[in-house]
Amino acid sequence: AVGMATNIPPHNLGEIIDAMKALARDPELSDENLFEIVPAPDFPTGGFILGTDGANNLYTVGKGSIGMRAKTHVEAINNGRGGLRNAIVVTELPYQVNKASYLSRTAALVNDKTLEGVADLRDESDRDGMRIVIELKRDAIPAVSRTTSSSAPSCRRASAATCWRSRRRGASRSA
């Protein structure tokens, strides 16, 4: 018996079906044309995929690391005293990042003063979706705080992936 180890990330079923149809019509279809149909994995929890190099390596070599980060936006929220304060709102986390551990790691970064300018951190998620609010201090600059919080390890994840590759290495089928 032969065993094969894989760690294939989830994909959009419609894109995979379209790719299979395209390969059935043209078995010599180039990798570049396949990348247009299936550009990268489709992670169910959302977030942003950082670049396409990891997905391209996964599809061409059989191994790749796909970088992801949380999806955030800046909102002006009521601070409870009649004034407005800026807040970074996280609406999607990277694949396989637990919300509770994300909150505790972010709180630890704030307490260690690694992540500065944060006045409050709370989970306002409900049945309509995820909503983590990182309320900023009055003097914090939203764009800088958003960049800093997005680059924090708790907000980013690299998903290593392996899969079986049917084409031989070096056997180019590009047009």
Side-chain angles (χ1 to χ4, degrees):
V2 175
M4 297 186 79
T6 63
N7 185 14
I8 302 172
H11 285 76
N12 181 308
L13 185 58
E15 290 176 352
I16 298 300
I17 291 170
D18 290 344
M20 296 300 292
K21 285 186 201 174
L23 280 171
R25 282 190 301 270
D26 180 10
E28 298 299 317
L29 191 66
S30 70
D31 287 343
E32 290 77 22
N33 289 337
L34 280 174
F35 293 152
E36 289 176 14
I37 301 169
V38 183
D42 187 16
F43 297 104
T45 57
F48 287 115
I49 293 178
L50 304 173
T52 58
D53 289 344
N56 288 347
N57 286 338
L58 174 65
Y59 298 146
T60 57
V61 179
K63 293 180 182 181
S65 179
I66 301 158
M68 297 168 281
R69 78 170 174 82
K71 187 179 276 189
T72 63
H73 66 273
V74 176
E75 276 184 23
I77 61 169
N78 188 343
N79 67 0
R81 291 181 228 115
L84 292 178
R85 192 176 267 184
N86 287 318
I88 299 169
V89 180
V90 180
T91 56
E92 296 178 7
L93 288 175
Y95 184 57
Q96 294 182 330
V97 171
N98 180 290
K99 182 174 64 169
S101 62
Y102 169 79
L103 285 165
S104 65
R105 283 183 289 174
T106 304
L109 289 172
V110 171
N111 290 335
D112 295 342
K113 302 210 185 301
T114 305
L115 188 58
E116 294 186 9
V118 176
D120 190 24
L121 172 68
R122 62 184 175 273
D123 182 9
E124 295 182 355
S125 303
D126 58 13
R127 67 175 180 241
D128 294 327
M130 185 174 62
R131 182 178 165 87
I132 297 171
V133 178
I134 304 170
E135 193 172 322
L136 302 178
K137 293 181 179 175
R138 246 179 294 133
D139 59 343
I141 301 167
V144 173
S145 298
R146 185 175 177 194
T147 302
T148 305
S149 67
S150 293
S151 63
S154 59
C155 214
R156 286 183 177 246
R157 176 166 169 72
S159 179
T162 58
C163 67
W164 180 71
R165 172 89 173 114
S166 64
R167 294 183 186 167
R168 291 187 334 263
R169 260 190 201 184
S172 176
R173 292 193 179 183
S174 55

